[in-house]
Amino acid sequence: MFGIVRPCTHRLGESLKTQWMAHLCGLCLALRGDHGQFARVVTNYDGLLISVLTEAQADRATGWRRTAGPCPLRGMRSASVAQGEGARLAAAVSLVLASAKMRDHMADGDGLLARRPVALAARRVATNWGRAGARTGSAVGFDTAVLVDAVDRQVGIEALAGPGTPLLTVTEPTETATAAAFAHTAILAGRPGNAEPLAEAGRLFGRLAHLLDAVEDRETDAASGAWNPLTATGTSLPEARRLADDALHGIRLALQDAEFTDAKLAHVLLAHELRNSVDRAFGTSSCSHRGAELYGPPPGNPYAPSGPGAPPPPPEPPRRDRRGLLAGCAVWMGLACTCQMCCCEYDDPWSGERKEGICRRCDNCDDCCDGCDCCGNCCDGCGCDCGCNC
């Protein structure tokens, strides 16, 4: 799973986490429904923002959710998932951008793609994804040509960039592509007046995506000799951080100019979690939940009263859907074979307890608590300047 907005499920709270998972599963199932099982590999955290924004603007009505059947990635349990034009637009954008990314890796000869047989197979997959994304985009009234054009222009811009080239010149194609996708959510939701502010939010989100990718890959690219926008243009990390902070502030202002039916999840992802993504990329955040996640909860109070007169300990919280040994083993094998236990959240096969995959152990939490008036995910002093009373 990839994307720059990787929210910490501890901070989201149960309600918003359920909504977030509904959009993530909705994107995955939209890809499968329109383009087959293999297309699900392009499911990504940033793509679901399209679905989130569409639903956040739409009038509440039936048809935005459906019950999906059991899935190995949910511990073989059913769930309510997002559906409709927002999920399909997210699928179209994800396919086209994944196709472009694959072609970019082929051009650079990265890894296995340097081998001719692998490159030929990858080129066929990329071509199919691009066509499939265009078909789905057309079905929801979105012309994916703007995405393809942005990717094509990116190659030429990078070839000409050098020391002294403004970094924003390099990020412009990505900004244009994401601006178009964000703006179209307003059309799908029946709020054309939101198109302009959401285009601005999308433009700045694209800038951030490009910046953070460059920052995170900077050392790896230097070691391998790969092209990196920061190195090529001579942009320092402090300057990149300044541009990132300006983009964050601009996104919050743009969201304030848009009208939403229910903006909680969109606000949390684009105003709070996006800031955490920036902090994580620049190495200025740490996870307050990491200790408990790795080593378990703290031990009980050793000084608690004991003996005949001591109050009884609190009852153990109920566990969900306990399974027998054989059924649990069968589900465990399914989780292991689909990499769920490594890369995603999963339900414990026996107890039903929600757990994080090994490589998803939360690495971007900060010391926030519940109590924010607008979104319930932060407390006074968290530094939010988005006007939400945080």
Side-chain angles (χ1 to χ4, degrees):
M1 202 74 72
F2 56 96
I4 64 171
V5 183
R6 305 193 294 270
C8 169
T9 54
H10 298 96
R11 248 194 340 265
L12 279 181
E14 194 62 33
S15 175
L16 293 183
K17 182 175 75 171
T18 299
Q19 293 182 44
W20 182 78
M21 286 298 298
H23 288 284
L24 183 62
C25 292
L27 169 58
C28 181
L29 292 174
L31 287 164
R32 185 199 68 179
D34 287 344
H35 310 294
Q37 289 283 359
F38 185 63
R40 299 170 82 175
V41 301
V42 307
T43 304
N44 66 94
Y45 295 136
D46 294 344
L48 70 87
L49 290 173
I50 301 296
S51 179
V52 170
L53 283 172
T54 303
E55 186 172 290
Q57 300 170 76
D59 293 331
R60 284 292 170 263
T62 58
W64 288 101
R65 289 282 192 275
R66 71 177 179 89
T67 300
C71 173
L73 302 186
R74 292 192 299 268
M76 296 307 295
R77 289 178 172 84
S78 59
S80 175
V81 301
Q83 67 170 351
E85 293 184 329
R88 297 189 72 194
L89 175 61
V93 171
S94 296
L95 280 167
V96 173
L97 294 183
S99 170
K101 190 73 172 177
M102 187 176 290
R103 291 201 305 271
D104 183 54
H105 285 308
M106 286 188 292
D108 293 340
D110 294 338
L112 290 175
L113 293 176
R115 301 180 180 179
R116 182 175 175 81
V118 178
L120 289 174
R123 182 174 293 106
R124 186 176 296 109
V125 171
T127 300
N128 290 339
W129 279 352
R131 291 172 179 169
R135 288 195 305 270
T136 301
S138 177
V140 295
F142 181 68
D143 186 0
T144 58
V146 66
L147 308 183
V148 176
D149 175 69
V151 172
D152 291 341
R153 286 190 297 107
Q154 186 75 52
V155 176
I157 289 173
E158 290 181 359
L160 296 175
T165 300
L167 185 59
L168 298 188
T169 299
V170 179
T171 64
E172 180 274 323
T174 307
E175 296 178 20
T176 300
T178 50
F182 273 46
H184 197 68
T185 65
I187 306 303
L188 294 182
R191 292 186 183 266
N194 284 348
E196 185 175 346
L198 289 183
E200 176 67 4
R203 183 179 68 83
L204 295 172
F205 180 84
R207 178 181 302 178
L208 270 178
H210 205 129
L211 281 173
L212 299 192
D213 184 62
V215 170
E216 291 177 342
D217 294 346
R218 185 166 171 261
E219 294 182 0
T220 304
D221 290 343
S224 64
W227 194 91
N228 184 283
L230 299 181
T231 305
T233 60
T235 304
S236 65
L237 283 179
E239 174 62 12
R241 180 61 195 250
R242 184 189 69 80
L243 291 172
D245 288 340
D246 286 349
L248 283 173
H249 184 63
I251 288 172
R252 292 166 181 161
L253 293 178
L255 291 177
Q256 290 178 21
D257 290 338
E259 295 182 3
F260 294 97
T261 303
D262 183 357
K264 280 188 177 181
L265 182 58
H267 173 84
V268 168
L269 296 177
L270 289 170
H272 293 273
E273 294 300 339
L274 193 52
R275 184 194 67 221
N276 292 326
S277 299
V278 172
D279 289 338
R280 182 176 63 249
F282 285 91
T284 56
S285 68
S286 61
C287 176
S288 62
H289 301 104
R290 190 167 180 79
E293 193 68 21
L294 291 175
Y295 306 112
N301 182 3
Y303 304 106
S306 59
E316 182 180 351
R319 300 201 175 197
R320 301 177 293 164
D321 302 338
R322 286 186 181 274
R323 289 189 174 95
L325 177 62
L326 293 179
C329 287
V331 174
W332 185 90
M333 291 180 64
L335 294 175
C337 292
T338 56
C339 299
Q340 176 76 349
M341 300 184 83
C342 295
C343 305
C344 306
E345 283 191 341
Y346 64 95
D347 291 329
D348 185 277
W350 288 280
S351 69
E353 180 183 358
R354 195 68 174 167
K355 293 185 176 181
E356 298 257 359
I358 295 171
C359 62
R360 282 199 70 224
R361 295 265 166 81
C362 166
D363 63 353
N364 64 325
C365 309
D366 53 15
D367 293 320
C368 277
C369 60
D370 292 336
C372 172
D373 292 339
C374 66
C375 55
N377 85 315
C378 64
C379 54
D380 290 339
C382 73
C384 178
D385 60 354
C386 54
C388 67
N389 298 321
C390 293

